[in-house]
C-alpha cells in the first residue's frame, strides 16, 4: 500500500508539474505572439531609422563637399592675392624714374642731349597769348620766315609740357 500511495503521489505531482509547464508554455506562446499591428509598427520604425541614417550621411556628404569647395576657393584667393602683390611690385618698379632711365639707355639707346644738341629760343617781346593762335590762321609771309619755324617748335614743346 505504501508503494501504491507513492505511485499515486508521484503521478499526482507529475500531472501538476505537467499542467504548470503547459500553462507556462501557453502563456509564453500568447506573450511571444506578436500582433500584425506591432509588426507593422516595428517595420515602420526600422524604415524611419534607416531613412534618418541615410539623411544624416547625405548631410555629411554635402558638408564635406562644401568644405572642399571652400578650401579650393580659399586657395585660389591666396594665389590671386599673391599675384596682385607681384603686380604691385612690378608696377612700382615701372613707376620709378631711375629704372625707366636705365631701360631707356639700355633698350632704346637713348641719352641725355649734349651742349651742341640743345636749342634755345628767343621770343623777344612777343606776349605768350600770341602762341595760342590756331595753326590754320597763318599768313603767307610767315610761312617762309625762320621765326615762324621757331614759333611752331615752341608751340609743340609747350603742348608737350601741358
Amino acid at each position: 500500500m505504501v508503494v501504491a500511495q507513492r505511485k499515486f503521489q508521484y503521478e499526482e505531482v507529475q500531472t501538476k508539474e505537467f499542467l504548470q509547464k503547459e500553462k507556462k508554455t501557453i502563456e509564453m506562446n500568447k506573450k511571444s505572439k506578436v500582433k500584425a499591428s506591432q509588426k507593422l509598427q516595428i517595420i515602420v520604425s526600422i524604415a524611419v531609422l534607416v531613412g534618418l541614417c541615410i539623411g544624416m550621411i547625405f548631410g555629411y556628404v554635402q558638408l564635406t563637399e562644401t568644405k572642399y569647395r571652400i578650401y579650393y576657393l580659399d586657395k585660389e584667393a591666396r594665389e590671386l592675392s599673391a599675384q596682385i602683390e607681384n603686380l604691385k611690385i612690378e608696377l612700382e618698379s615701372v613707376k620709378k624714374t631711375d629704372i625707366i632711365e636705365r631701360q631707356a639707355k639700355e633698350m632704346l639707346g637713348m641719352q641725355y642731349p649734349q651742349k651742341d644738341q640743345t636749342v634755345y629760343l628767343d621770343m623777344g617781346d612777343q606776349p605768350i597769348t600770341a602762341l595760342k593762335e590756331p595753326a590754320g590762321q597763318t599768313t603767307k609771309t610767315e610761312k617762309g620766315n625762320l621765326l615762324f619755324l621757331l614759333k611752331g617748335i615752341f608751340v609743340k614743346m609747350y603742348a608737350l609740357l601741358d
Side-chain angles (χ1 to χ4, degrees), residues 44-63:
V44 169
S45 299
I46 290 172
V48 167
L49 285 174
V50 167
L52 286 174
C53 290
I54 290 173
M56 285 176 55
I57 290 171
F58 183 73
Y60 281 117
V61 166
Q62 292 294 327
L63 183 65

